[in-house]
Amino acid sequence: MCGIVGYIGPKKALPILISSLERLEYRGYDSSGIACISEKGDRGVYTIKEQGKLGRLKSKLNGALLDGHVGIGHTRWATHGEPSERNAHPHQDCSKKFALVHNGIIENYAELKHELQRKGHHFRSETDTEVAVHLIEEYFERCRNVFEAFQKAVIRMQGFFAFVLTTSHDPDAIYVFKRSNPLVIGVGNGENFVASDAPAILSYTNRMIYLDDNEMARVTADRTEVFRLGEKNPRRKPVVRIKWNMRQAEKDGFPHFMLKEIHEQPQVVDTILKERLRGNRIFFDSISKKTEKRLSRISKIHLVSCGTAYHAGLVGKYMLSECARLPVDASVSSEFRYEDPVVDERDLVIFITQSGETADTLAALRAAKEKKAFTLAIVNVVGSTIAREADCVIYTHAGPEIGVASTKAYLAQLTVLALFALYLGKLRGKLSSGQMREYINWLLKLPRQIEETLRQDKAVKQCARKLYTKRNFLYLGRGYNFPNALEGALKLKEITYAHAHGYAAGEMKHGPIALIDSEQPVICISPAAKTYEKMISNIQEIEARKGIVVSVATVGDQTIKKLSRFLFLIPETKEMLSSILAVIPLQLFAYYVAVFNKRDVDQPRNLAKSVTVE
Ligand code: G6P
């Protein structure tokens, strides 16, 4: 979704803004723009905007007079008004003394727009954002103070937003405001940065100030003053040093981030295990004795998340039921938040999110907190809003995930969920030390087994070469691999634009079997499991109807080999951990089908990495 950057300091702003915007490209966007304070004459605000990819904006910038040391930039993912130059940010007021970029939605924009039009303001776009900049102008006319005008305007607006403002009325500062949507201030030496997320500015600084909701800041080259909305005195904010490095946010010789991230998975899982395992003990630094006490008394668990993280939640449901023997529900955040969920202080609600900023998941977290449930967030991005708002957070530490289609973050979520399920099982006395030891021994094998699974790359690529022109794919799985059927289908849809449907294999007879003919590929995820024989029956039924069987099976499985047109093998593991291995060929399959179709793998059309609006 929309990406925001800002710079103020001794260097030329333009190259910094462009390179930071390039690092935000992965979020998904359809137009972009930049505003800089000119160095000459009136120190006015100059903007340039363009529809489409950043390359188009860059060609337009050639020769433009954006020479300043203060500037803001934006990549837009259209919500109000079509993707076009006119609707691209930054937006300006009537006098063109202010320029504003925005991520989020101003819910009462229509009413504010009427009011401003009645007062004579002239609008140039169809966006909600433009209302904000005219409103700031309106208040500025009355009070002649940028900070006060910005604050008054923000108070009038309803919704969720991050704003960054630059103005020739105060050309040596930029102003920012955050409510729900992410915004971070990067602290440099004699220079400061602003961005939607830290990786955008990581090549300039790793020292970040995370704004909380309803905080605004005046940022100059050597100072950042943060104020709570409505307050006059600045507040002290910690500067957090983040550990990610630039190499993690680069392709490192791989043709796409997605492929690089798929290949990082052995390392990601290894890091998690090293961090969380002490012999046969599972260790979460963020779980205090008090929290442990509360966890030992919970009566129900809910897992709440979106997209790929929802599929992790579904796997988590099986893991937690198996180990902790508690009732567990898994929901998508957009349903949970509106269904008036039946939760209370005896419930544990787990929120799973890579970005820690997904709007629906954040709203669901707030709903659960209101009902006094104990909230735990499993998050990748350190310092993100959900990580800060949950009662307790477990970081997945998968490093920055740039490809829109989530891969390593999913594996990291599954690994953390497995560890947490075991931890809770032990805490509740449902697992003996012997059982723990057995699970942990299997867990420890995972990094090497993931590497082994990645060696299926060639077989997967060959299969993708044969099937890439198909427009419909069916994915089937049971138990721990039913969520993987959904995840495999989602990966394929996201990056190839072919239709793919994931189904619980036991439901095949209730509908999907009607699809099967000699043209229909069916991906059957059938590692060794208690429902293995049932999967064999499903595969035979597909075979009998001449469907194209593509199987994911455990190494040495001769039965499935005979029944399958294409076969991807995973090493033997405990059933609970099988989804961690079985998803890897599915990720690679989606990747190669997309490559053969010449799709934009890392930035598929219409999708965003971090969905910060509803
Ligand atoms: C978007 C992304 C997905 C992600 C989902 C949830 O749809 O494209 O890859 O799974 O949001 O995001 P979260 O950051 O909450 O895990």
Side-chain angles (χ1 to χ4, degrees):
M1 300 249 135
C2 301
I4 290 179
V5 297
Y7 175 77
I8 184 158
K11 301 181 188 129
K12 292 260 187 247
L14 191 58
I16 294 172
L17 295 175
I18 291 288
S19 88
S20 307
L21 284 179
E22 280 169 347
R23 299 208 178 275
L24 289 177
E25 279 193 290
Y26 77 91
R27 293 169 72 93
Y29 70 106
D30 45 53
S31 52
S32 57
I34 284 201
C36 282
I37 299 282
S38 161
E39 275 306 287
K40 303 188 186 97
D42 62 344
R43 301 202 68 198
V45 186
Y46 292 86
T47 63
I48 292 213
K49 318 196 270 191
E50 184 57 291
Q51 191 188 335
K53 293 282 174 189
L54 270 176
R56 292 185 56 179
L57 180 74
K58 285 202 274 183
S59 341
K60 206 167 171 183
L61 285 167
N62 278 339
L65 289 169
L66 296 181
D67 57 348
H69 300 248
V70 182
I72 60 178
H74 190 264
T75 46
R76 173 173 187 252
W77 189 89
T79 56
H80 295 69
E82 56 169 15
S84 64
E85 183 191 341
R86 198 159 48 92
N87 288 332
H89 303 208
H91 288 285
Q92 291 201 269
D93 60 316
C94 296
S95 67
K96 297 206 167 181
K97 302 264 189 210
F98 292 94
L100 180 89
V101 293
H102 164 219
N103 173 12
I105 291 178
I106 303 167
E107 287 169 353
N108 59 338
Y109 86 101
E111 159 198 336
L112 291 171
K113 189 167 178 176
H114 282 138
E115 178 186 321
L116 288 159
Q117 278 171 329
R118 274 199 309 275
K119 290 186 170 140
H121 287 262
H122 172 66
F123 283 78
R124 305 177 189 94
S125 76
E126 299 144 312
T127 63
D128 52 339
T129 309
E130 199 183 342
V131 164
V133 74
H134 286 281
L135 199 55
I136 294 167
E137 176 185 37
E138 179 66 26
Y139 284 115
F140 183 82
E141 290 307 320
R142 297 187 214 162
C143 66
R144 310 301 296 174
N145 176 304
V146 179
F147 185 86
E148 202 181 316
F150 190 25
Q151 175 149 278
K152 283 195 163 133
V154 163
I155 289 169
R156 291 288 313 281
M157 287 181 272
Q158 288 158 14
F160 307 95
F161 23 76
F163 290 122
V164 180
L165 176 76
T166 182
T167 171
S168 54
H169 292 298
D170 187 5
D172 295 314
I174 48 185
Y175 290 81
V176 305
F177 175 81
K178 171 191 155 38
R179 178 184 297 153
S180 276
N181 288 39
L183 204 65
V184 56
I185 298 170
V187 183
N189 289 327
E191 58 183 356
N192 282 312
F193 307 80
V194 177
S196 296
D197 61 38
I201 47 177
L202 205 55
S203 53
Y204 303 107
T205 180
N206 66 351
R207 291 160 60 219
M208 307 288 162
I209 296 175
Y210 291 96
L211 291 184
D212 287 315
D213 276 359
N214 292 315
E215 283 183 342
M216 56 192 292
R218 180 173 182 270
V219 183
T220 62
D222 45 23
R223 206 176 163 159
T224 295
E225 284 183 307
V226 180
F227 301 82
R228 182 147 185 90
L229 192 61
E231 286 177 5
K232 289 231 158 56
N233 295 324
R235 18 175 63 199
R236 284 176 74 86
K237 295 289 289 182
V239 177
V240 180
R241 222 174 257 277
I242 63 166
K243 291 190 194 135
W244 292 355
N245 60 45
M246 265 331 287
R247 212 168 140 239
Q248 288 175 294
E250 266 152 21
K251 284 191 200 147
D252 213 11
F254 283 91
H256 298 99
F257 279 111
M258 183 180 176
L259 191 62
K260 179 196 172 216
E261 287 158 6
I262 290 173
H263 281 271
E264 280 173 349
Q265 295 180 124
Q267 189 56 53
V268 166
V269 172
D270 191 50
T271 308
I272 297 172
L273 296 177
K274 288 210 170 96
E275 196 181 334
R276 305 289 180 206
L277 287 176
R278 305 269 190 282
N280 281 332
R281 263 198 64 219
I282 294 167
F283 175 80
F284 294 107
D285 45 358
S286 53
I287 299 184
S288 63
K289 283 272 163 252
K290 197 169 150 215
T291 301
E292 197 161 82
K293 215 163 166 193
R294 185 145 184 203
L295 286 175
S296 65
R297 289 201 297 252
I298 52 165
S299 57
K300 187 164 182 200
I301 304 176
H302 307 256
L303 295 139
V304 182
S305 40
C306 300
T308 289
Y310 167 60
H311 299 152
L314 286 174
V315 177
K317 173 180 160 157
Y318 289 92
M319 290 172 166
L320 286 156
S321 314
E322 176 171 332
C323 299
R325 306 305 300 148
L326 273 168
V328 191
D329 254 358
S331 316
V332 284
S333 313
S334 53
E335 290 298 315
F336 183 89
R337 66 179 285 193
Y338 289 118
E339 72 192 9
D340 190 13
V342 185
V343 293
D344 60 32
E345 67 283 350
R346 288 163 304 175
D347 292 6
L348 166 67
V349 190
I350 304 179
F351 298 88
I352 308 165
T353 166
Q354 188 285 127
S355 62
E357 302 292 352
T358 304
D360 280 322
T361 307
L362 178 58
L365 165 67
R366 289 173 179 168
K369 284 187 82 170
E370 224 162 79
K371 289 178 184 272
K372 311 255 178 309
F374 186 71
T375 57
L376 166 71
I378 297 179
V379 184
N380 192 35
V381 177
V382 175
S384 53
T385 311
I386 291 172
R388 282 180 289 128
E389 290 197 14
D391 296 314
C392 178
V393 59
I394 300 177
Y395 284 114
T396 51
H397 293 312
E401 190 178 66
I402 310 289
V404 163
S406 183
T407 53
K408 65 172 179 173
Y410 180 64
L411 238 67
Q413 288 159 352
L414 296 188
T415 310
V416 167
L417 282 163
L419 288 165
F420 184 71
L422 291 169
Y423 163 86
L424 205 61
K426 190 82 197 355
L427 186 69
R428 289 173 44 80
K430 302 291 174 191
L431 291 176
S432 67
S433 302
Q435 284 170 312
M436 280 293 275
R437 203 166 317 119
E438 197 205 337
Y439 279 109
I440 288 173
N441 284 342
W442 281 109
L443 271 167
L444 289 168
K445 290 184 206 270
L446 278 176
R448 194 182 42 75
Q449 292 187 322
I450 297 170
E451 267 168 27
E452 228 173 293
T453 310
L454 285 168
R455 284 188 218 118
Q456 292 292 297
D457 183 279
K458 221 166 153 192
V460 177
K461 191 172 179 181
Q462 270 167 11
C463 171
R465 198 191 300 278
K466 289 269 180 332
L467 299 182
Y468 79 94
T469 53
K470 302 273 178 210
R471 303 304 302 150
N472 269 299
F473 294 80
L474 184 60
Y475 287 71
L476 299 177
R478 287 174 183 256
Y480 280 104
N481 282 292
F482 158 54
N484 264 349
L486 304 182
E487 175 59 9
L490 178 68
K491 286 288 86 86
L492 199 88
K493 268 185 287 225
E494 283 179 310
I495 60 171
T496 75
Y497 318 147
H499 178 257
H501 202 133
Y503 237 88
E507 283 287 291
M508 188 174 83
K509 287 198 191 71
H510 302 288
I513 200 163
L515 297 173
I516 294 171
D517 61 16
S518 61
E519 289 299 308
Q520 179 67 53
V522 188
I523 292 89
C524 302
I525 313 157
S526 327
K530 51 180 176 292
T531 52
Y532 173 79
E533 297 298 338
K534 308 285 168 202
M535 279 305 296
I536 296 285
S537 306
N538 288 130
I539 295 175
Q540 277 162 338
E541 287 156 6
I542 300 161
E543 249 272 298
R545 288 160 183 83
K546 303 197 168 32
I548 304 167
V549 176
V550 181
S551 293
V552 179
T554 304
V555 114
D557 190 327
Q558 295 304 324
T559 315
I560 292 196
K561 190 173 175 189
K562 280 190 208 116
L563 289 170
S564 310
R565 204 88 62 89
F566 302 94
L567 179 65
F568 313 140
L569 295 169
I570 63 165
E572 185 196 346
T573 183
K574 189 115 180 116
E575 183 173 352
M576 185 172 103
L577 307 178
S578 63
S579 39
I580 297 180
L581 298 174
V583 75
I584 294 166
L586 309 180
Q587 297 170 337
L588 288 168
F589 182 66
Y591 173 76
Y592 284 117
V593 173
V595 169
F596 288 128
N597 278 297
K598 302 195 169 33
R599 302 297 191 215
D600 189 347
V601 173
D602 286 333
Q603 290 164 45
R605 71 182 181 201
N606 303 339
L607 294 180
K609 181 74 186 159
S610 177
V611 180
T612 48
V613 294
E614 218 183 315

